[in-house]
Amino acid sequence: MSGAGGSERPEERPEERQRLVLPIAALGHGGVLQELVLGEGQPLDPGISEEQRQAREEWEALEEIQSGLGGTPGTAPPPISFTEALQHFQSAELSASRQGKLRAPGRRGTLAALLRCLRGPPRLCPQLRGEQELALAMAQCALDDSERVHMRILQTIYRQLMRSRLGCPRYGAHWEELGFQGVDPGTDLRGTGMLGLMQILFFVLDSRTLPLAREIFQLSQHETQNFPFCIMSVNITRIVIQALQEERLSRECNRRQQVIGVLNDLHAAAFLRLSRLWEQQHGTVADAGFFLKELELSTKKKPRQLLKSLEAYLSRSLRPPSSPSSQIHFTIICDPGVELEGDS
Protein backbone atom coordinates (compact mmCIF):
# COMPACT_ATOMS: atom_id res chain seq x y z
CA MET A 1 0.00 0.00 0.00
CA SER A 2 1.27 3.47 -0.84
CA GLY A 3 1.87 5.82 2.04
CA ALA A 4 0.81 9.44 2.18
CA GLY A 5 4.10 10.32 0.58
CA GLY A 6 3.61 7.89 -2.31
CA SER A 7 6.49 5.57 -1.36
CA GLU A 8 6.07 1.80 -1.22
CA ARG A 9 6.16 0.34 2.27
CA PRO A 10 7.45 -3.22 2.79
CA GLU A 11 4.76 -5.75 3.60
CA GLU A 12 4.50 -6.52 7.32
CA ARG A 13 3.56 -9.78 8.95
CA PRO A 14 0.00 -9.94 10.31
CA GLU A 15 1.14 -10.12 13.93
CA GLU A 16 3.23 -6.98 13.44
CA ARG A 17 0.26 -5.17 11.93
CA GLN A 18 -1.90 -6.14 14.88
CA ARG A 19 0.55 -4.60 17.32
CA LEU A 20 0.45 -1.38 15.35
CA VAL A 21 -3.27 -1.01 15.93
CA LEU A 22 -2.96 -0.72 19.71
CA PRO A 23 -1.72 2.88 20.05
CA ILE A 24 -4.42 4.34 17.75
CA ALA A 25 -7.04 4.93 20.46
CA ALA A 26 -4.59 6.70 22.72
CA LEU A 27 -3.37 8.91 19.91
CA GLY A 28 -6.92 10.08 19.28
CA HIS A 29 -7.14 11.69 22.72
CA GLY A 30 -4.24 13.96 21.95
CA GLY A 31 -5.65 15.21 18.65
CA VAL A 32 -2.86 13.60 16.63
CA LEU A 33 -5.16 11.02 15.05
CA GLN A 34 -7.75 13.63 14.12
CA GLU A 35 -5.08 15.72 12.44
CA LEU A 36 -3.88 12.73 10.45
CA VAL A 37 -7.39 11.84 9.28
CA LEU A 38 -8.19 15.37 8.20
CA GLY A 39 -4.84 15.65 6.45
CA GLU A 40 -5.09 12.31 4.64
CA GLY A 41 -3.81 12.43 1.10
CA GLN A 42 -1.56 15.42 1.69
CA PRO A 43 2.20 15.08 1.20
CA LEU A 44 4.29 14.55 4.31
CA ASP A 45 5.41 17.78 5.87
CA PRO A 46 9.13 17.54 6.59
CA GLY A 47 8.50 19.72 9.63
CA ILE A 48 6.09 17.38 11.44
CA SER A 49 7.22 15.70 14.62
CA GLU A 50 8.45 12.13 14.78
CA GLU A 51 5.37 11.24 16.86
CA GLN A 52 3.03 12.52 14.13
CA ARG A 53 4.99 10.70 11.44
CA GLN A 54 4.81 7.44 13.37
CA ALA A 55 1.10 7.91 14.06
CA ARG A 56 0.42 8.47 10.36
CA GLU A 57 2.21 5.23 9.51
CA GLU A 58 0.19 3.35 12.13
CA TRP A 59 -3.06 4.73 10.70
CA GLU A 60 -2.01 3.58 7.22
CA ALA A 61 -1.24 0.13 8.64
CA LEU A 62 -4.74 0.00 10.14
CA GLU A 63 -6.22 0.92 6.76
CA GLU A 64 -4.25 -1.87 5.14
CA ILE A 65 -5.46 -4.40 7.72
CA GLN A 66 -9.11 -3.46 7.25
CA SER A 67 -8.77 -3.51 3.45
CA GLY A 68 -7.41 -7.06 3.72
CA LEU A 69 -10.53 -8.05 5.67
CA GLY A 70 -12.81 -7.10 2.82
CA GLY A 71 -13.76 -3.62 3.98
CA THR A 72 -13.06 -0.24 2.46
CA PRO A 73 -9.83 1.46 3.55
CA GLY A 74 -10.07 2.74 7.11
CA THR A 75 -13.28 0.81 7.90
CA ALA A 76 -13.84 -2.65 9.33
CA PRO A 77 -16.23 -4.99 7.49
CA PRO A 78 -19.67 -4.67 9.08
CA PRO A 79 -20.72 -7.33 11.58
CA ILE A 80 -23.23 -9.90 10.42
CA SER A 81 -26.33 -11.32 12.07
CA PHE A 82 -26.99 -15.03 12.24
CA THR A 83 -30.11 -14.59 10.09
CA GLU A 84 -28.22 -12.77 7.34
CA ALA A 85 -25.46 -15.40 7.35
CA LEU A 86 -28.01 -18.23 7.18
CA GLN A 87 -29.82 -16.54 4.29
CA HIS A 88 -26.52 -16.43 2.43
CA PHE A 89 -26.12 -20.20 2.66
CA GLN A 90 -29.76 -20.76 1.75
CA SER A 91 -29.37 -18.66 -1.40
CA ALA A 92 -26.10 -20.41 -2.26
CA GLU A 93 -28.08 -23.65 -2.77
CA LEU A 94 -25.41 -25.69 -1.02
CA SER A 95 -27.76 -28.57 -0.25
CA ALA A 96 -28.72 -29.01 -3.89
CA SER A 97 -25.09 -29.19 -4.97
CA ARG A 98 -24.27 -31.90 -2.42
CA GLN A 99 -27.43 -33.99 -2.29
CA GLY A 100 -25.62 -37.12 -3.41
CA LYS A 101 -22.95 -36.92 -0.70
CA LEU A 102 -25.25 -35.82 2.12
CA ARG A 103 -28.39 -37.82 1.43
CA ALA A 104 -30.19 -38.87 4.60
CA PRO A 105 -30.48 -42.58 5.48
CA GLY A 106 -32.51 -44.38 2.81
CA ARG A 107 -35.62 -46.54 3.13
CA ARG A 108 -35.30 -49.75 5.06
CA GLY A 109 -37.06 -53.08 4.91
CA THR A 110 -40.46 -53.73 6.48
CA LEU A 111 -39.03 -55.51 9.53
CA ALA A 112 -36.46 -52.78 10.15
CA ALA A 113 -39.18 -50.14 9.84
CA LEU A 114 -41.37 -52.02 12.34
CA LEU A 115 -38.53 -52.34 14.86
CA ARG A 116 -37.78 -48.67 14.41
CA CYS A 117 -41.38 -47.76 15.24
CA LEU A 118 -41.29 -49.95 18.35
CA ARG A 119 -37.96 -48.96 19.89
CA GLY A 120 -35.98 -46.63 17.66
CA PRO A 121 -35.98 -42.87 17.11
CA PRO A 122 -38.57 -41.53 14.67
CA ARG A 123 -37.69 -40.46 11.15
CA LEU A 124 -37.36 -36.77 10.41
CA CYS A 125 -40.49 -35.21 8.92
CA PRO A 126 -40.23 -34.91 5.12
CA GLN A 127 -40.78 -31.14 5.28
CA LEU A 128 -37.62 -30.81 7.40
CA ARG A 129 -35.34 -32.75 5.06
CA GLY A 130 -34.34 -29.63 3.16
CA GLU A 131 -33.21 -27.89 6.35
CA GLN A 132 -31.29 -31.00 7.38
CA GLU A 133 -29.53 -31.07 4.01
CA LEU A 134 -28.67 -27.38 4.37
CA ALA A 135 -27.11 -27.96 7.79
CA LEU A 136 -25.06 -30.91 6.51
CA ALA A 137 -24.06 -28.94 3.42
CA MET A 138 -22.73 -26.09 5.57
CA ALA A 139 -20.68 -28.72 7.39
CA GLN A 140 -19.06 -29.57 4.03
CA CYS A 141 -18.43 -25.93 3.08
CA ALA A 142 -14.85 -24.78 3.71
CA LEU A 143 -13.93 -21.30 4.91
CA ASP A 144 -13.30 -19.21 1.79
CA ASP A 145 -11.15 -16.07 1.98
CA SER A 146 -12.76 -14.70 -1.17
CA GLU A 147 -16.31 -14.98 0.25
CA ARG A 148 -17.13 -11.75 2.05
CA VAL A 149 -19.88 -13.33 4.19
CA HIS A 150 -17.42 -15.93 5.49
CA MET A 151 -15.00 -13.19 6.52
CA ARG A 152 -17.77 -11.20 8.20
CA ILE A 153 -18.78 -14.28 10.22
CA LEU A 154 -15.19 -14.76 11.36
CA GLN A 155 -14.76 -11.09 12.25
CA THR A 156 -18.06 -10.92 14.14
CA ILE A 157 -17.04 -13.88 16.29
CA TYR A 158 -13.71 -12.18 17.04
CA ARG A 159 -15.34 -8.89 18.02
CA GLN A 160 -17.98 -10.52 20.23
CA LEU A 161 -15.55 -12.65 22.19
CA MET A 162 -12.82 -10.00 22.43
CA ARG A 163 -15.37 -7.18 23.01
CA SER A 164 -13.67 -5.17 20.30
CA ARG A 165 -15.06 -2.68 17.81
CA LEU A 166 -12.11 -3.22 15.49
CA GLY A 167 -11.51 -6.14 13.19
CA CYS A 168 -8.31 -8.14 13.02
CA PRO A 169 -6.02 -9.61 10.35
CA ARG A 170 -7.20 -12.74 8.57
CA TYR A 171 -4.13 -14.66 9.78
CA GLY A 172 -2.25 -14.26 13.01
CA ALA A 173 -1.61 -15.41 16.57
CA HIS A 174 -4.68 -13.50 17.77
CA TRP A 175 -6.85 -16.45 16.64
CA GLU A 176 -5.06 -18.62 19.19
CA GLU A 177 -6.41 -16.29 21.88
CA LEU A 178 -9.91 -17.36 20.80
CA GLY A 179 -8.97 -21.00 21.10
CA PHE A 180 -8.05 -21.98 17.56
CA GLN A 181 -4.91 -24.07 17.14
CA GLY A 182 -2.94 -21.73 14.95
CA VAL A 183 -2.90 -18.60 12.84
CA ASP A 184 -5.61 -19.85 10.42
CA PRO A 185 -9.03 -20.81 11.85
CA GLY A 186 -9.91 -22.54 8.58
CA THR A 187 -7.55 -25.42 9.33
CA ASP A 188 -9.52 -26.31 12.48
CA LEU A 189 -12.87 -26.75 10.73
CA ARG A 190 -12.31 -30.25 9.40
CA GLY A 191 -15.51 -32.22 9.71
CA THR A 192 -17.66 -29.21 10.58
CA GLY A 193 -16.93 -26.64 7.87
CA MET A 194 -18.85 -23.40 8.06
CA LEU A 195 -21.46 -25.00 10.32
CA GLY A 196 -18.76 -24.96 13.01
CA LEU A 197 -18.41 -21.19 12.66
CA MET A 198 -22.17 -20.67 12.31
CA GLN A 199 -22.78 -22.37 15.64
CA ILE A 200 -20.19 -20.17 17.35
CA LEU A 201 -21.78 -17.15 15.65
CA PHE A 202 -25.22 -18.01 17.03
CA PHE A 203 -23.75 -18.73 20.46
CA VAL A 204 -22.10 -15.29 20.72
CA LEU A 205 -24.91 -13.26 19.09
CA ASP A 206 -28.11 -14.64 20.62
CA SER A 207 -29.09 -12.47 23.58
CA ARG A 208 -30.00 -15.55 25.63
CA THR A 209 -26.70 -17.38 25.18
CA LEU A 210 -24.18 -14.53 24.87
CA PRO A 211 -23.64 -14.25 28.66
CA LEU A 212 -23.06 -18.02 28.79
CA ALA A 213 -20.65 -17.87 25.85
CA ARG A 214 -18.62 -15.16 27.55
CA GLU A 215 -18.67 -17.03 30.85
CA ILE A 216 -17.32 -20.16 29.17
CA PHE A 217 -14.78 -18.10 27.21
CA GLN A 218 -13.56 -16.61 30.49
CA LEU A 219 -13.26 -20.11 31.97
CA SER A 220 -11.21 -21.14 28.93
CA GLN A 221 -8.67 -18.44 29.86
CA HIS A 222 -8.17 -19.83 33.40
CA GLU A 223 -4.55 -20.02 34.54
CA THR A 224 -4.59 -23.79 35.14
CA GLN A 225 -7.98 -24.98 33.79
CA ASN A 226 -7.67 -23.29 30.41
CA PHE A 227 -8.83 -24.97 27.21
CA PRO A 228 -9.11 -23.94 23.53
CA PHE A 229 -12.59 -22.40 23.36
CA CYS A 230 -13.12 -22.56 19.60
CA ILE A 231 -11.59 -26.03 19.24
CA MET A 232 -13.98 -27.27 21.94
CA SER A 233 -16.87 -25.62 20.13
CA VAL A 234 -15.90 -27.29 16.86
CA ASN A 235 -15.77 -30.67 18.60
CA ILE A 236 -19.24 -30.10 20.02
CA THR A 237 -20.49 -29.25 16.53
CA ARG A 238 -18.94 -32.50 15.28
CA ILE A 239 -20.91 -34.41 17.92
CA VAL A 240 -24.12 -32.55 17.03
CA ILE A 241 -23.64 -33.39 13.35
CA GLN A 242 -23.21 -37.08 14.18
CA ALA A 243 -26.38 -37.04 16.29
CA LEU A 244 -28.27 -35.44 13.40
CA GLN A 245 -26.98 -37.96 10.86
CA GLU A 246 -27.88 -40.86 13.15
CA GLU A 247 -31.40 -39.38 13.54
CA ARG A 248 -30.96 -39.02 17.29
CA LEU A 249 -32.50 -35.55 17.07
CA SER A 250 -35.47 -36.33 14.85
CA ARG A 251 -38.02 -36.41 17.68
CA GLU A 252 -36.99 -32.95 18.94
CA CYS A 253 -36.76 -31.51 15.43
CA ASN A 254 -40.23 -32.85 14.60
CA ARG A 255 -41.61 -31.45 17.84
CA ARG A 256 -40.23 -27.98 17.17
CA GLN A 257 -40.60 -28.20 13.39
CA GLN A 258 -37.07 -26.95 12.83
CA VAL A 259 -33.60 -28.40 12.47
CA ILE A 260 -31.01 -25.63 12.65
CA GLY A 261 -32.64 -24.08 15.71
CA VAL A 262 -32.43 -27.44 17.50
CA LEU A 263 -28.78 -27.86 16.46
CA ASN A 264 -27.85 -24.41 17.81
CA ASP A 265 -29.61 -24.95 21.12
CA LEU A 266 -28.09 -28.41 21.50
CA HIS A 267 -24.64 -26.94 20.81
CA ALA A 268 -25.17 -24.36 23.56
CA ALA A 269 -26.59 -27.01 25.92
CA ALA A 270 -23.63 -29.32 25.36
CA PHE A 271 -21.17 -26.46 25.88
CA LEU A 272 -22.95 -25.60 29.15
CA ARG A 273 -22.59 -29.18 30.34
CA LEU A 274 -18.94 -29.30 29.32
CA SER A 275 -18.20 -26.11 31.26
CA ARG A 276 -19.89 -27.46 34.39
CA LEU A 277 -17.97 -30.72 34.16
CA TRP A 278 -14.78 -28.74 33.61
CA GLU A 279 -15.36 -26.60 36.70
CA GLN A 280 -16.53 -29.37 39.00
CA GLN A 281 -13.88 -31.89 37.97
CA HIS A 282 -11.11 -29.24 37.80
CA GLY A 283 -10.47 -30.21 34.21
CA THR A 284 -7.37 -29.48 32.20
CA VAL A 285 -6.59 -29.96 28.53
CA ALA A 286 -5.38 -33.45 29.35
CA ASP A 287 -8.95 -34.35 30.37
CA ALA A 288 -10.56 -33.04 27.19
CA GLY A 289 -10.92 -36.47 25.59
CA PHE A 290 -12.74 -37.88 28.62
CA PHE A 291 -15.17 -34.97 28.80
CA LEU A 292 -15.89 -35.00 25.08
CA LYS A 293 -16.65 -38.70 25.13
CA GLU A 294 -19.12 -38.24 27.98
CA LEU A 295 -20.61 -35.33 26.07
CA GLU A 296 -20.99 -37.46 22.96
CA LEU A 297 -22.86 -40.13 24.90
CA SER A 298 -25.24 -37.69 26.56
CA THR A 299 -25.84 -35.71 23.35
CA LYS A 300 -26.81 -38.81 21.39
CA LYS A 301 -28.72 -40.67 24.12
CA LYS A 302 -30.42 -37.85 26.01
CA PRO A 303 -30.53 -34.68 23.87
CA ARG A 304 -33.83 -33.60 25.40
CA GLN A 305 -32.33 -33.74 28.89
CA LEU A 306 -29.47 -31.50 27.79
CA LEU A 307 -31.89 -29.02 26.24
CA LYS A 308 -33.96 -28.91 29.43
CA SER A 309 -30.80 -28.17 31.43
CA LEU A 310 -30.09 -25.26 29.09
CA GLU A 311 -33.66 -23.97 29.45
CA ALA A 312 -33.37 -24.12 33.23
CA TYR A 313 -30.03 -22.30 33.18
CA LEU A 314 -31.31 -19.55 30.90
CA SER A 315 -34.46 -19.13 33.02
CA ARG A 316 -32.38 -18.71 36.17
CA SER A 317 -30.09 -16.24 34.46
CA LEU A 318 -33.07 -13.92 33.99
CA ARG A 319 -33.73 -13.90 37.74
CA PRO A 320 -31.58 -12.55 40.63
CA PRO A 321 -28.59 -14.78 41.48
CA SER A 322 -29.55 -17.84 43.54
CA SER A 323 -27.63 -19.76 46.18
CA PRO A 324 -24.68 -21.98 45.14
CA SER A 325 -26.71 -25.08 46.04
CA SER A 326 -28.86 -24.54 42.94
CA GLN A 327 -25.98 -25.26 40.56
CA ILE A 328 -26.43 -28.09 38.06
CA HIS A 329 -24.50 -31.27 38.86
CA PHE A 330 -23.56 -33.90 36.32
CA THR A 331 -21.95 -37.33 36.47
CA ILE A 332 -18.82 -37.86 34.41
CA ILE A 333 -18.20 -41.01 32.38
CA CYS A 334 -14.50 -41.35 31.62
CA ASP A 335 -13.39 -42.70 28.28
CA PRO A 336 -10.12 -41.57 26.63
CA GLY A 337 -11.27 -42.54 23.14
CA VAL A 338 -11.94 -39.05 21.77
CA GLU A 339 -9.32 -36.68 20.44
CA LEU A 340 -9.66 -32.98 19.88
CA GLU A 341 -10.78 -32.14 16.36
CA GLY A 342 -7.93 -30.56 14.49
CA ASP A 343 -5.20 -32.42 16.36
CA SER A 344 -2.59 -33.89 14.07
Side-chain angles (χ1 to χ4, degrees):
M1 172 178 172
S2 297
S7 61
E8 290 291 326
R9 301 172 62 250
E11 185 174 352
E12 300 160 336
R13 293 192 300 272
E15 56 268 23
E16 292 178 342
R17 295 177 185 170
Q18 186 187 28
R19 289 198 292 269
L20 290 175
V21 177
L22 299 178
I24 292 294
L27 289 170
H29 295 299
V32 179
L33 177 58
Q34 182 179 12
E35 177 183 340
L36 292 177
V37 174
L38 294 177
E40 186 177 1
Q42 300 299 320
L44 282 173
D45 182 352
I48 67 174
S49 68
E50 182 61 29
E51 178 187 15
Q52 290 175 321
R53 187 188 304 277
Q54 182 180 359
R56 186 189 292 270
E57 291 177 353
E58 290 174 351
W59 180 253
E60 291 170 354
L62 177 60
E63 286 184 338
E64 187 172 348
I65 290 172
Q66 303 296 3
S67 297
L69 297 173
T72 56
T75 64
I80 193 168
S81 69
F82 180 82
T83 299
E84 182 184 355
L86 184 60
Q87 288 173 345
H88 163 78
F89 290 109
Q90 288 171 328
S91 63
E93 298 182 351
L94 294 177
S95 58
S97 66
R98 293 174 170 83
Q99 270 185 331
K101 179 184 293 187
L102 301 173
R103 188 177 295 124
R107 295 182 178 275
R108 301 177 180 178
T110 305
L111 178 59
L114 179 59
L115 291 174
R116 186 182 188 84
C117 291
L118 293 174
R119 64 184 184 185
R123 302 294 294 267
L124 192 68
C125 291
Q127 61 267 30
L128 297 178
R129 291 292 180 187
E131 193 175 350
Q132 180 194 41
E133 290 175 358
L134 175 61
L136 295 176
M138 286 192 290
Q140 294 289 327
C141 180
L143 180 65
D144 184 354
D145 289 10
S146 66
E147 178 52 68
R148 181 172 171 79
V149 168
H150 291 197
M151 297 299 101
R152 289 175 63 195
I153 291 171
L154 201 57
Q155 290 295 312
T156 302
I157 291 171
Y158 176 85
R159 292 187 204 174
Q160 286 293 98
L161 287 176
M162 300 302 290
R163 301 172 188 251
S164 172
R165 290 183 297 173
L166 292 175
C168 63
R170 168 64 179 86
Y171 302 93
H174 49 278
W175 294 117
E176 297 178 36
E177 298 178 29
L178 266 62
F180 288 104
Q181 282 195 130
V183 299
D184 179 12
T187 61
D188 294 325
L189 300 177
R190 295 189 296 271
T192 67
M194 287 303 297
L195 183 62
L197 287 185
M198 286 288 284
Q199 293 217 290
I200 301 176
L201 182 70
F202 180 86
F203 196 36
V204 302
L205 285 183
D206 187 81
S207 59
R208 303 170 307 147
T209 59
L210 174 59
L212 173 61
R214 285 178 169 165
E215 176 188 325
I216 297 175
F217 183 64
Q218 183 176 4
L219 173 63
S220 75
Q221 307 294 307
H222 192 274
E223 182 178 357
T224 58
Q225 292 183 256
N226 58 80
F227 59 87
F229 178 89
C230 286
I231 289 293
M232 283 295 191
S233 177
V234 167
N235 275 273
I236 293 173
T237 298
R238 175 184 55 79
I239 292 171
V240 169
I241 291 171
Q242 290 176 358
L244 176 66
Q245 290 175 317
E246 295 173 12
E247 300 198 341
R248 308 283 188 139
L249 311 180
S250 297
R251 180 176 283 109
E252 185 64 20
C253 291
N254 291 343
R255 187 183 73 82
R256 290 173 50 171
Q257 282 297 290
Q258 58 179 233
V259 175
I260 292 176
V262 171
L263 300 185
N264 287 336
D265 284 349
L266 188 58
H267 170 270
F271 222 151
L272 170 63
R273 178 160 188 167
L274 176 67
S275 69
R276 292 302 177 256
L277 288 173
W278 204 271
E279 289 178 316
Q280 295 165 10
Q281 302 292 332
H282 303 287
T284 65
V285 173
D287 304 311
F290 295 99
F291 291 151
L292 286 170
K293 186 59 179 180
E294 191 281 337
L295 206 60
E296 182 177 344
L297 292 173
S298 58
T299 300
K300 292 182 178 182
K301 291 181 178 294
K302 299 179 180 179
R304 182 61 184 151
Q305 184 175 320
L306 277 180
L307 291 169
K308 285 183 177 179
S309 296
L310 176 66
E311 291 170 6
Y313 172 87
L314 295 178
S315 297
R316 285 198 303 274
S317 68
L318 298 176
R319 300 197 299 264
S322 55
S323 62
S325 61
S326 66
Q327 293 180 352
I328 305 173
H329 296 281
F330 299 104
T331 302
I332 181 169
I333 302 174
C334 294
D335 187 329
V338 174
E339 296 182 356
L340 283 176
E341 187 74 10
D343 284 351
S344 56

